[in-house]
Amino acid sequence: MRLSRYFLPILRETPKEAEIVSHRLMLRAGTIRQEAAGIYAWLPLGLRVLNKINAIIREEQNRAGAVEILMPTIQSADLWRESGRYEAYGKEMLRIKDRHEREMLFGPTNEEMVTAIVRAHVKSYKDLPLNLYHIQWKFRDEVRPRFGVMRSREFLMKDAYSFDIDAEGARHAYNKMFTAYLRTFARMGLKAIPMRADTGPIGGNLSHEFIILASTGESEVFCHRDFLEQPTPAADIAFDDRATMQGVFDHWTSKYAATSEMHDAAAFDALPEADRVSARGIEVGHIFYFGTKYSEPMGATVNGPDGKETALQMGSYGIGPSRLVAALIEANHDDKGVIWPTSVAPFQVGLANLKVGDAATDAACLDLYARLEKAGVDVLYDDRDDRPGAKFATLDLIGLPHQVIVGPKGLADGLVEIKNRRTGERETLTPDAAINKLTAQA
């Protein structure tokens, strides 16, 4: 993509309303624009990151055996009355009426709707287990939306829902999602630590939050130091093997890890001092097992192996892709701007032409641009007639993993410069060597 033809509204000044690093940088780097309190438009650069995150989530959900659907954002209040949550949910729910005065709502979550879908079509235990997920916009009318997309009113959510005939099957479904979440966040360059959590308005008796450590995190968390080095489950792990999945869960919950709400100071203090980690954390995922909380009141039953009607055992599993964009920035930035991990970066390479209009630099940049794109590397080519300093500042701000700098001085020796955004390391290479290196690292 040529920057001269792209829509990238960079802000020179930090907006006054931006309180945390991710909010400041997202606004300055032209990834989002606020349209109302807690409601944002996603601009091209931010949308590319969001789509990269969604792609990783989809791959890992599919790998774990979940099946993608898409449910509507507007739901009937009658479904929520069936579960008993319509009045209980509170003012966070946006309640509306259509032209026929039917009570509707903008969905804050989808337990009721997915339960209604499954009860209409799944009648036998032979149709189970089943896990349905979607990636869809939600709305929760936060009393005080703040921190940009970290705590917004409208947000993108991946929510999955598992259905099983018995508690043992439901627990296996929970463990599969637990494992899939570990892999999902690791692929984004994040070390997410599962911590026992309160079930809140979703309900149930088993729940874990996945927390990343960041100095600008929203709450205090406590964990054993071993979590920081624990290896992630492999891509070819046996998701259908119950013992394997239980083993992953047991391994990742065998040591102390708790949010401030669930913190046991005595248990934490009993750890050797060198093993105690007390830090700020950001929640990036939350999973729940709640049994028959929704299936019983809504009549979601199947014909069991014994011929009797049995209420479905359920769990739900959430990741906020839009929130993850901010969390990634909180964990990956410096005083110059964002530093995107390669797997979610909007472009892998920023190509800067330092002397637009010079025949040699123009030709070299066009050749690099075409060859990198042909090799499958996403490139943002800064072909604007602007000062080199402005181009360097833009590339640092938007945080692409690699920068290729092409100027007449280097080209006179047949060389271009490559800069690693994360480390700051620079090296001069021939254009061919630069292409080989960038293609291998993309």
Side-chain angles (χ1 to χ4, degrees), residues 54-55 57-59 61-63 65-71 114 130-136 156-161:
N54 289 341
I57 290 172
R58 281 191 171 95
E59 287 173 12
Q61 290 292 289
N62 296 344
R63 192 193 307 277
V67 178
E68 186 172 9
I69 62 172
L70 182 60
M71 292 178 273
V114 76
L130 182 64
N131 189 323
L132 301 176
Y133 79 95
H134 69 164
I135 299 176
Q136 176 223 48
L156 191 62
M157 176 67 72
K158 186 287 303 181
D159 38 328
Y161 303 91

Side-chain angles (χ1 to χ4, degrees), residues 2 22 31 78 130 151 210 236 245:
R2 290 172 177 258
S22 59
T31 62
D78 291 340
L130 182 64
R151 189 181 296 173
F210 288 76
D236 61 353
M245 291 296 100

Side-chain angles (χ1 to χ4, degrees), residues 105-223:
L105 58 98
F106 194 125
T109 184
N110 277 75
E111 282 82 6
E112 283 80 2
M113 182 170 283
V114 76
T115 301
I117 291 171
V118 169
R119 77 179 174 190
H121 299 287
V122 176
K123 302 299 184 182
S124 169
Y125 74 95
K126 295 179 181 179
D127 298 321
L128 302 173
L130 182 64
N131 189 323
L132 301 176
Y133 79 95
H134 69 164
I135 299 176
Q136 176 223 48
W137 292 96
K138 303 281 198 291
F139 189 91
R140 295 176 189 170
D141 201 0
E142 289 273 356
V143 64
R144 190 186 174 199
R146 56 192 305 218
F147 304 148
V149 298
M150 188 74 78
R151 189 181 296 173
S152 56
R153 294 195 293 165
E154 185 180 67
F155 55 96
L156 191 62
M157 176 67 72
K158 186 287 303 181
D159 38 328
Y161 303 91
S162 62
F163 300 85
D164 288 88
I165 188 63
D166 54 28
E168 291 76 14
R171 183 55 196 268
H172 178 49
Y174 187 94
N175 292 344
K176 287 168 73 173
M177 286 292 101
F178 184 97
T179 303
Y181 274 38
L182 293 173
R183 285 194 44 76
T184 298
F185 299 125
R187 287 186 58 189
M188 299 176 194
L190 298 172
K191 175 64 73 172
I193 302 169
M195 301 188 179
R196 191 169 59 88
D198 182 28
T199 56
I202 299 295
N205 56 15
L206 179 62
S207 177
H208 284 85
E209 291 180 7
F210 288 76
I211 304 289
I212 64 168
L213 304 185
S215 60
T216 51
E218 56 202 332
S219 60
E220 192 171 12
V221 297
F222 308 84
C223 70

